[in-house]
Structures are given as C-alpha cells and as structure tokens.
Amino acid sequence: MTTRPTETTETPLGAADPTPRHAPSGEQVVLRHGPHEAVVTEVGATLRAYTVGGLEVVQPYAADQIAPASHGAVLAPWPNRLRDGAYTFDGTDHQVPVNEVGRMTALHGLVCWVRFEVSARTTTDAEDAVELTHRIVPTSGYPFDVLLTVRYALTDAGLTVTTTAANDGTQRAPYGVGFHPWLSTRGAAVDDCTLRLDAETRVTTDDRLLPVGTEPVTGPYDHREASTLAGAVLDDAFVGVLRDADGLSWAELATLDGRTTRLWMDETFGSWQVCTGDFINPPSIRRSAVAVEPQTCYADAFRTGELLVVLEPGASHTSRWGLVLA
C-alpha cells in the first residue's frame, strides 16, 4: 500500500510561509497511547518526535524540515561509517556511494532517504502501532534482496521498535542495523545532564572516526555509573556491552527536570554509539541533545567483520529496542 503525501491548505499572499505541500519526510504517522505520542515518517521510517505527557523524549524536527543530523534515522543495512564505501564480501568487491566526502566514508547505510510503505496499522486498548516496509533495491554496491520491516509501538511501558531484515535473495547478505535518536535534554545544557551507559569498552578511532582498536573505558568515557557530561566531547562507539537479567542493555540520560530518559536494546545489539554533537551541522543544534544509538555492529563492520550479521538466503534477523521516560 502506498500512502499519499500530507497535503496542507494554501496560505494567502502576505501570510507566513506554509508547510510544504509535500513534506520532505513524506507522510506523517501519528501514534497515541495514553500520555504517549510519537510521529513516524514515511521517508526513512524515521522517528521524528516522541513525547510523554507533553515532555520531549527525543529532540524533534519540524515536518517541513529535512532531518538535520540523522535525527531519528534507521541506519541499514549498515550503521555508522564504511571506509571509502568499499568492501569485499564472499570474494566479491563492492563499492557503494561515498556520502561523507570530508572523511571519504559511506555513512549510515542506504535507507535514510528512501520511502517506506505503511504495511500495517494497529490501534487497540493495549497499543498504537505502525509497521513500515522497504525492499532494498539490489545494486552493484549492495546486490542483495533484503526486505526491511520497522514496527513502532506505543504501550503503557513506552515505545518499542522492532526491526526485521529478511533475505529474499539467493545469496548471502551482509547486514547491520542501528538507530539514531537524539535524546532531548528538555531545555537543559548537555553539561548539566548525566549519562549512564551499560558498556565497559570503548572503540578507539583514527582521524576519520574509523575503528583502530578497543580499550577499557576510563575518565570521560566511563559512564557505567551515572556521571556528568560537563566538558565531555563524545562521538564514540562502545562494546563490552553489559546486560541485565532480561538480556537488556540500558543507557540513561538524566536532566535538570528530575526526569530520566531510558533507552534499552536487546541482545541482538552489540554496540552503543554516543554523540554529544560538538561538531555536527547545522551549528545551531550542537550540544543541544545527546545521540544515543543502539547498533548491531559498529563502524566498518562490512570490512572488519566485527559483529556483522550474515543473512543466509531465506533467513531473517529481528532486533528490538525502546524508550522509557522515568
């Protein structure tokens, strides 16, 4: 089923500019359950906004904007960076487009700017949910027939995001997925927030932010206990993921309003990425929120094989993560 782009009425001359007739992020799907409200977009299956009782959980962007810094993006079939956009898989060399020219990397996969289809919509007393699908078009750079399904569901417990990648082709496919929510500080400075992160190992990087090794977390990188972000400059991946009795790993951002945003990821995710946004563009959003990104694998996995998922023909991979405002 293909949905129609959102349409708005025309505004008389001399009035403020109207929202574009066709929003850059396409159709806007609004989910509501009790005090919870989320907006999911057709383009990229992005989480554009999520609030609880009117309080921001993620930093939103406007319907008439292009997502400014991968806000709410689905990162598939690889998250983070791929060196030179080049990799070898099962003996064949592949080249995908380089879209981060300054670092000569292919950043955040292939689906951030494609249209998904709303394949299911469910509203019950227990949940309000939407499912979106996109079949990745096989190309010489990624010649694999992978159907991606992303489901957002609001319940009393918060937001749960379930992603399934199914290999409908005849050859093995490399795969990874991540998500890019910018957690809202609800008006506080990042320096006045604290972070707790279930990870004991940091991935070290070169000047292109590509991995060169790992080391135990220390100093400003050690957030196993809630600790201040004052002065912390982060754009780092973390492994050595710690889990609770249910197999979940948690990140917690506490703000001056006494509330804590809690993000969990299941055992299919092997890495966290945390970014304080010091060097992103546009400059107006630098250190205005904290990106906390669940990742099944981290940068350059198509080349290194670290935490890489290999989908056999006919196989699928399902992962879950979610958000709670405490």
Side-chain angles (χ1 to χ4, degrees):
M1 177 177 67
T2 302
T3 53
R4 295 180 60 194
T6 301
E7 297 188 2
T8 58
T9 57
E10 294 183 356
T11 301
L13 289 174
D17 290 338
T19 300
R21 177 179 173 83
H22 302 298
S25 52
E27 183 76 14
Q28 311 289 303
V29 180
V30 180
L31 305 177
R32 295 186 179 93
H33 180 83
H36 304 268
E37 182 172 308
V39 182
V40 178
T41 70
E42 174 192 18
V43 174
T46 296
L47 179 64
R48 188 173 68 76
Y50 175 37
T51 60
V52 179
L55 296 176
E56 289 181 0
V57 180
V58 300
Q59 185 181 56
Y61 64 96
D64 62 350
Q65 285 184 301
I66 297 171
S70 299
H71 276 56
V74 180
L75 316 177
W78 70 87
N80 213 287
R81 294 171 172 85
L82 177 58
R83 183 187 302 269
D84 303 324
Y87 66 100
T88 301
F89 183 73
D90 280 353
T92 300
D93 295 335
H94 301 285
Q95 177 72 55
V96 296
V98 168
N99 59 357
E100 191 186 35
V101 176
R103 295 190 176 102
M104 282 301 294
T105 71
L107 183 64
H108 291 338
L110 301 172
V111 303
C112 289
W113 308 109
V114 302
R115 294 186 187 275
F116 282 64
E117 292 187 351
V118 175
S119 52
R121 186 77 167 85
T122 305
T123 302
T124 67
D125 290 341
E127 69 172 10
D128 194 10
V130 64
E131 179 180 280
L132 303 99
T133 61
H134 173 72
R135 186 175 297 279
I136 298 174
V137 176
T139 64
S140 58
Y142 191 79
F144 309 104
D145 185 0
V146 175
L147 178 66
L148 196 66
T149 303
V150 186
R151 186 178 193 269
Y152 293 89
L154 289 180
T155 67
D156 291 343
L159 175 69
T160 298
V161 185
T162 305
T163 307
T164 299
N167 183 358
D168 291 341
T170 59
Q171 57 183 321
R172 302 190 331 151
Y175 172 74
V177 67
F179 285 79
H180 209 301
W182 284 87
L183 303 189
S184 176
T185 64
R186 289 179 284 280
V190 168
D191 282 354
D192 292 328
C193 299
T194 64
L195 176 70
R196 196 188 70 76
L197 186 71
D198 280 341
E200 57 186 7
T201 304
R202 172 182 171 246
V203 177
T204 57
T205 58
D206 60 17
D207 59 359
R208 297 167 68 186
L209 297 183
L210 293 164
V212 296
T214 60
E215 63 183 16
V217 292
T218 58
Y221 304 109
D222 186 358
H223 294 279
R224 289 172 292 179
E225 301 292 333
S227 50
T228 182
L229 286 173
V233 178
L234 300 175
D235 194 355
D236 295 88
F238 297 85
V239 290
V241 169
L242 305 173
R243 302 188 186 277
D244 64 17
D246 296 319
L248 303 181
S249 186
W250 293 82
E252 299 178 339
L253 183 71
T255 53
L256 287 178
D257 59 1
R259 308 298 294 269
T260 299
T261 298
R262 307 184 70 211
L263 193 158
W264 58 268
M265 63 184 190
D266 74 7
E267 66 279 357
T268 64
F269 289 97
S271 173
W272 292 103
Q273 182 84 16
V274 179
C275 181
T276 48
D278 294 73
F279 306 109
I280 61 171
N281 289 311
S284 60
I285 61 174
R286 292 177 182 174
R287 292 189 76 82
S288 62
V290 181
V292 179
E293 308 164 43
Q295 306 176 123
T296 60
C297 55
Y298 55 94
D300 229 14
F302 275 23
R303 295 173 65 96
T304 67
E306 291 292 328
L307 300 177
L308 183 67
V309 174
V310 176
L311 291 171
E312 298 291 338
S316 63
H317 178 276
T318 298
S319 59
R320 293 180 179 84
W321 66 279
L323 285 164
V324 179
L325 181 63

